[in-house]
Amino acid sequence: MRDVLPPLRIGIAGLGTVGAGVIRLLRENREGISARAGRTIEVVAVCARDRTRDRGIDLSGIRWHDDAASLAADPDLDVVVELIGGAEGAAREAVEGALSRGTPVVSANKALLALHGASLSALSARHEAPLLFEAAVAGGVPAIKLVREGLAGDRLLRVGGILNGTCNYILTTMRETGRAFGDVLADAQALGYAEADPSTDVDGWDAAHKLAILAALSFGRPVAFETLHVEGIRDIQPADLHFADELGFRIKLLGLAREGEAGLEAWMRPCLVPKAAPIAGVEGVFNALLVEGEFAGSQMIEGRGAGAGPTAVAVVADLIDLARGARLPVWGVAQTCTPARCVERGQLSGAYYLRLDVQDRPGVIAEIATILSGYGVSLRGMVQHGEADDARDTDSVAIALLTHRTSEQAMLDTISRIEVLPSILGRPLMLRIEAG
Amino acid sequence: MRDVLPPLRIGIAGLGTVGAGVIRLLRENREGISARAGRTIEVVAVCARDRTRDRGIDLSGIRWHDDAASLAADPDLDVVVELIGGAEGAAREAVEGALSRGTPVVSANKALLALHGASLSALSARHEAPLLFEAAVAGGVPAIKLVREGLAGDRLLRVGGILNGTCNYILTTMRETGRAFGDVLADAQALGYAEADPSTDVDGWDAAHKLAILAALSFGRPVAFETLHVEGIRDIQPADLHFADELGFRIKLLGLAREGEAGLEAWMRPCLVPKAAPIAGVEGVFNALLVEGEFAGSQMIEGRGAGAGPTAVAVVADLIDLARGARLPVWGVAQTCTPARCVERGQLSGAYYLRLDVQDRPGVIAEIATILSGYGVSLRGMVQHGEADDARDTDSVAIALLTHRTSEQAMLDTISRIEVLPSILGRPLMLRIEAG
């Protein structure tokens, strides 16, 4: 425990906010980090696109590489830290290059881990080079350590939660103000809560990458990401939030993965959750992790979404673990295996919310109900925005239907029949109902 | 990474709910745990007070020791698991005995760790035998791993939170129903939320033990527990919750530790927190961990208080870490040192709430205000329960004072003068105001 170990020499690929933050943290808390790591951690090499940019940190004495592949091949490094981002290109080359040479890697790259989890874990095992990625799911909740280590003894049944603060902020604000998605998004962009290109957040990809990583850790097996059903929040209208509220629900962009009878059920999609469910109370930029284990039972942990500071701290946590000799397999268990495919959407079953904009004339509802019943879907409730609703177009009316438990295929078939009816205006919206 | 390792042979001292749960978990999830641990974990020895009691688990084939000291001395064990409880006696003997022989220990014993953190860490270091205790703070939040490993790279400024679900449930219910402490406690006992002997919970000791452990991990140094100021919630009256509400606050049993100018400031005490602070929204049996780091900033993580299932899972998490070769020093950093003494109560400064039951006659408030001002304490506000308050005794009136920032010594001096005045009925209650 008290041997004096040589410094851990690291190379950092990518010097954006997080990369520069890691260097600053390693310098400013050098003594504390050495005490925790049992040895010093030295940045000996870096690479980034632009050598001349002022990053507010002194890079003198640090070896410069012109590209990530060259850094990854640097024989003098004990660890390569990949902070470039993106599932392909330079990031993937750096990580694969380092692992192939037996060099341990720390990465903050959720897309890379989510999309290439199987090949990366095989590479890591073959070359006995650990790959750690606490910063890939660095929300305000220490999700990776919790699932991979804290709950390692339990048999996990379910994992997921509210994994994107931007979407949760937008949905919360839409509900509170009655404003439309586009307006609230524009404000969120102005406030810095949403990126200039919002697609990664609002189309559900960022959250889906996190879900795939959490599912792989929970079930000890990577997920075939292309089989994961991903929906964002662009189609949610103020009317939906209003209907949900009337019916006793909140709308949340929820991701869940569970081992079902037919295989791995995993999706990221907006859902109705009962107002009384703890997850319904997670509002604004907060994230929440749901984990259910056979022994530990259900747990929900809520925390604020994290920025560059906590992400740099998560990267350094992995470096300290490596400095102390951590040798965990990528997904927590040693055997390499083929990725788990998620069951097809049609094979899921559940209760659903269906919002339709219809022509305001007699017989429309009867027509819809007949189609639903033809597919074996039974209704649990219906509401319609009443006459007093000033905002509605007088020629159309919005109706919301809640179904009993049914197969998702029956819902998809129903919708394909309903959406071509002349009395249906615009696209129907179907949301899943989850107990939370 | 893929060497075949021999089984990890463990002995369990104490077969209550958690001990039996650990054995059941190790059996029922044997395959999953072996995959995570890289080797099997075998229970080869146990001890408990009563050999004949039916615990619903088969103990055949497991060596029985008649006492914990004998189990701790069993030369065939790779790990001793201490689940006896209590800071002294058999629990302490077992842990010290095992460590002295170089046998790693897993313990769920918060009192033991809080009271003997310095001597145990010295023993662990001297004999190079790790001591892990994830289950000692096994609320719904993975607090130990978060602070010791997840935030290991940061310089922590503050740690604490709402650390006892029973107290938080009682305070929440008192506020919601207006009922008295004793009534709500009796109900909580009937519901199983509080122990038959409630002192450990309601007098703040359970939460204080957790705080001492979190502070030791955060600052890398054990705390001299006897110097920690601990107050429980018995003196809180419905009137206090009512006053706090009127003034824009909630009352929470809060524990915080921070490195102040004069040294370590640490206490467990009921506090007023502004309603808008996230910690004020943590209600019922929920716990919340507050951590503030120089780099990661402030984080609050909320989770449901945990029972026997999650505690058993936490014990097994430590066993898996040991099976994988974890060798962390007890408090995260290697050097052994003397415990940190908390600064004296009088040296703290803050804003305070003071509730006085006074005779309802002219001049009383002037008298009190004069004494406060004599000690340099300036008032920020005052409320009195009005004439319309049916519940009040017509001869007495309750008043609540809020002070500006002052020294706690000035408050203590003021109270010692005020409480002997003939116009003061009953004991004054002073609560700290914290920003949350």
Side-chain angles (χ1 to χ4, degrees):
Chain A
M1 262 162 139
R2 278 172 287 164
D3 309 337
V4 176
L5 294 163
L8 188 79
R9 288 154 313 163
I10 72 167
I12 299 180
L15 290 177
T17 335
V18 175
V22 168
I23 294 180
R24 203 171 298 121
L25 176 54
L26 288 170
R27 282 183 187 160
E28 292 181 18
N29 194 22
R30 186 181 174 82
E31 204 181 323
I33 290 169
S34 301
R36 299 271 173 182
R39 57 207 280 202
T40 60
I41 299 178
E42 313 270 2
V43 182
V44 299
V46 292
C47 74
R49 250 181 308 198
D50 181 357
R51 187 163 186 168
T52 59
R53 202 179 123 206
D54 180 15
R55 297 175 175 88
I57 41 169
D58 180 9
L59 296 176
S60 59
I62 299 180
R63 195 156 52 246
W64 181 275
H65 288 274
D66 283 321
D67 59 61
S70 145
L71 180 127
D74 189 329
D76 187 39
L77 300 181
D78 297 317
V79 182
V80 166
V81 179
E82 183 274 304
L83 302 171
I84 299 167
E88 307 297 337
R92 188 173 179 188
E93 275 171 42
V95 172
E96 291 182 346
L99 292 177
S100 306
R101 284 174 185 82
T103 308
V105 172
V106 171
S107 171
N109 190 331
K110 58 182 90 77
L112 181 73
L113 268 295
L115 270 65
H116 305 298
S119 62
L120 291 174
S121 66
L123 206 57
S124 162
R126 191 173 330 122
H127 300 281
E128 303 198 358
L131 166 59
L132 295 179
F133 45 91
E134 187 67 42
V137 192
V141 172
I144 302 225
K145 270 198 178 282
L146 171 65
V147 171
R148 189 184 54 203
E149 296 159 44
L151 298 172
D154 206 353
R155 204 182 285 127
L156 295 186
L157 305 173
R158 196 171 79 128
V159 71
I162 294 177
L163 302 173
N164 184 276
T166 305
C167 288
N168 206 41
Y169 170 82
I170 292 174
L171 289 173
T172 302
T173 307
M174 285 176 70
R175 180 179 63 75
E176 287 173 351
T177 63
R179 293 165 64 213
F181 170 79
D183 279 5
V184 175
L185 172 60
D187 275 9
Q189 287 170 319
L191 287 166
Y193 293 170
E195 305 285 330
D197 174 3
S199 172
T200 308
D201 288 322
V202 303
D203 294 326
W205 297 109
D206 171 81
H209 292 148
K210 292 177 189 165
L211 178 68
I213 291 171
L214 292 172
L217 289 167
S218 299
F219 306 126
R221 188 175 173 195
V223 175
F225 188 78
E226 68 283 5
T227 66
L228 187 76
H229 174 63
V230 181
E231 263 176 76
I233 62 167
R234 285 186 202 263
D235 295 335
I236 309 288
Q237 297 179 3
D240 296 308
L241 292 152
H242 189 177
F243 276 133
D245 190 56
E246 273 177 77
L247 294 161
F249 297 92
R250 293 269 179 267
I251 299 178
K252 296 288 173 191
L253 179 64
L254 200 64
L256 282 177
R258 60 165 78 88
E259 297 276 14
E261 279 173 29
L264 178 66
E265 296 180 5
W267 40 255
M268 177 60 58
R269 61 199 295 183
C271 291
L272 266 66
V273 292
K275 282 182 196 172
I279 195 95
V282 179
E283 299 273 44
V285 296
F286 280 80
N287 286 226
L289 178 72
L290 288 171
V291 202
E292 189 181 339
E294 205 172 297
F295 279 78
S298 277
Q299 289 184 291
M300 185 184 96
I301 302 178
E302 188 177 349
R304 200 179 286 273
T311 306
V313 170
V315 167
V316 174
D318 282 344
L319 290 170
I320 293 173
D321 277 356
L322 287 174
R324 287 208 166 274
R327 307 287 292 174
L328 275 169
V330 173
W331 303 116
V333 297
Q335 82 267 27
T336 315
C337 60
T338 51
R341 296 181 65 81
C342 307
V343 304
E344 303 268 344
R345 216 184 142 182
Q347 288 181 268
L348 299 172
S349 67
Y352 296 87
Y353 160 97
L354 184 62
R355 186 252 301 151
L356 304 166
D357 298 304
V358 303
Q359 279 179 355
D360 193 7
R361 64 165 179 74
V364 172
I365 289 173
E367 198 175 13
I368 293 161
T370 306
I371 296 174
L372 282 160
S373 119
Y375 285 102
V377 178
S378 74
L379 286 179
R380 177 176 127 191
M382 194 206 82
V383 269
Q384 169 168 334
H385 275 180
E387 307 298 336
D389 188 347
D390 297 340
R392 77 194 177 88
D393 174 338
T394 46
D395 288 336
S396 85
V397 68
I399 59 172
L401 309 172
L402 295 190
T403 77
H404 281 291
R405 194 167 186 84
T406 182
S407 85
E408 189 151 335
Q409 191 58 52
M411 291 301 295
L412 295 171
D413 291 344
T414 303
I415 289 171
S416 68
R417 280 280 306 282
I418 289 177
E419 68 185 352
V420 296
L421 295 176
S423 51
I424 299 293
L425 313 165
R427 287 190 54 211
L429 178 76
M430 177 181 95
L431 303 177
R432 188 178 169 89
I433 301 175
E434 269 290 320
Chain B
M1 261 160 141
R2 277 172 288 164
D3 307 337
V4 176
L5 293 165
L8 188 79
R9 288 155 312 164
I10 71 167
I12 300 181
L15 290 178
T17 336
V18 176
V22 168
I23 294 180
R24 201 171 297 120
L25 176 54
L26 287 170
R27 281 182 189 161
E28 292 181 19
N29 194 22
R30 186 180 175 83
E31 203 181 324
I33 290 169
S34 302
R36 300 271 172 181
R39 57 206 282 200
T40 60
I41 299 178
E42 313 272 3
V43 181
V44 300
V46 292
C47 73
R49 249 181 307 198
D50 180 358
R51 188 165 186 166
T52 59
R53 200 177 126 207
D54 180 14
R55 299 174 174 87
I57 42 170
D58 179 9
L59 296 176
S60 59
I62 298 180
R63 194 156 53 246
W64 181 273
H65 287 274
D66 283 319
D67 59 62
S70 145
L71 180 127
D74 189 329
D76 187 39
L77 300 180
D78 296 319
V79 182
V80 166
V81 179
E82 184 274 304
L83 302 171
I84 300 167
E88 307 298 337
R92 188 174 179 187
E93 274 171 41
V95 172
E96 290 182 347
L99 293 177
S100 305
R101 284 171 185 83
T103 309
V105 171
V106 171
S107 171
N109 190 331
K110 56 182 93 76
L112 181 72
L113 268 296
L115 270 64
H116 304 298
S119 62
L120 291 173
S121 67
L123 207 56
S124 162
R126 190 171 333 120
H127 299 281
E128 303 200 358
L131 166 59
L132 294 179
F133 45 92
E134 187 67 41
V137 191
V141 171
I144 302 225
K145 270 197 178 284
L146 171 65
V147 171
R148 189 184 53 201
E149 297 160 43
L151 297 173
D154 207 351
R155 204 181 286 130
L156 295 186
L157 306 173
R158 195 171 81 130
V159 71
I162 293 176
L163 302 174
N164 183 277
T166 305
C167 288
N168 205 42
Y169 170 82
I170 292 174
L171 289 173
T172 302
T173 307
M174 285 176 69
R175 181 178 63 74
E176 286 173 351
T177 63
R179 292 166 63 214
F181 170 80
D183 280 6
V184 175
L185 171 61
D187 275 11
Q189 287 171 321
L191 289 165
Y193 291 170
E195 304 286 331
D197 174 4
S199 170
T200 308
D201 287 323
V202 303
D203 294 326
W205 298 109
D206 171 83
H209 292 149
K210 292 178 189 165
L211 177 68
I213 292 172
L214 292 172
L217 290 167
S218 298
F219 306 126
R221 188 175 175 194
V223 174
F225 188 78
E226 69 284 4
T227 66
L228 188 77
H229 173 63
V230 182
E231 262 176 78
I233 62 167
R234 286 186 202 261
D235 295 334
I236 308 288
Q237 298 178 2
D240 296 309
L241 293 151
H242 188 176
F243 275 134
D245 191 57
E246 273 178 78
L247 294 161
F249 296 92
R250 292 269 179 269
I251 299 178
K252 295 289 173 191
L253 179 64
L254 201 64
L256 282 177
R258 60 164 78 88
E259 296 276 16
E261 278 173 29
L264 178 65
E265 296 179 7
W267 40 256
M268 177 61 58
R269 62 199 293 183
C271 292
L272 266 65
V273 292
K275 282 182 196 173
I279 197 93
V282 178
E283 298 273 44
V285 297
F286 279 80
N287 285 226
L289 178 72
L290 287 172
V291 202
E292 188 181 338
E294 203 173 299
F295 279 77
S298 277
Q299 289 184 292
M300 185 184 95
I301 301 178
E302 188 177 347
R304 199 179 288 273
T311 306
V313 170
V315 168
V316 175
D318 281 343
L319 289 170
I320 293 174
D321 276 357
L322 287 175
R324 288 207 166 278
R327 306 285 293 173
L328 275 169
V330 174
W331 302 118
V333 297
Q335 82 268 25
T336 316
C337 59
T338 51
R341 296 181 66 82
C342 307
V343 303
E344 303 268 345
R345 219 184 141 181
Q347 287 181 271
L348 300 173
S349 67
Y352 297 87
Y353 161 96
L354 184 61
R355 186 251 302 150
L356 303 167
D357 297 304
V358 303
Q359 281 179 355
D360 193 6
R361 62 162 181 77
V364 172
I365 290 173
E367 197 176 10
I368 294 161
T370 306
I371 295 173
L372 283 160
S373 121
Y375 285 102
V377 179
S378 73
L379 287 178
R380 180 175 124 190
M382 193 207 82
V383 268
Q384 169 168 338
H385 275 181
E387 305 300 335
D389 189 349
D390 296 344
R392 77 192 178 88
D393 174 337
T394 46
D395 287 336
S396 87
V397 67
I399 60 172
L401 309 171
L402 295 190
T403 77
H404 281 292
R405 193 167 187 84
T406 182
S407 85
E408 189 150 332
Q409 192 57 53
M411 291 300 296
L412 294 172
D413 291 342
T414 302
I415 289 171
S416 68
R417 280 281 307 281
I418 288 178
E419 66 185 352
V420 295
L421 294 177
S423 51
I424 300 293
L425 312 166
R427 286 190 55 211
L429 179 76
M430 177 180 95
L431 303 177
R432 190 179 168 88
I433 301 175
E434 268 291 318

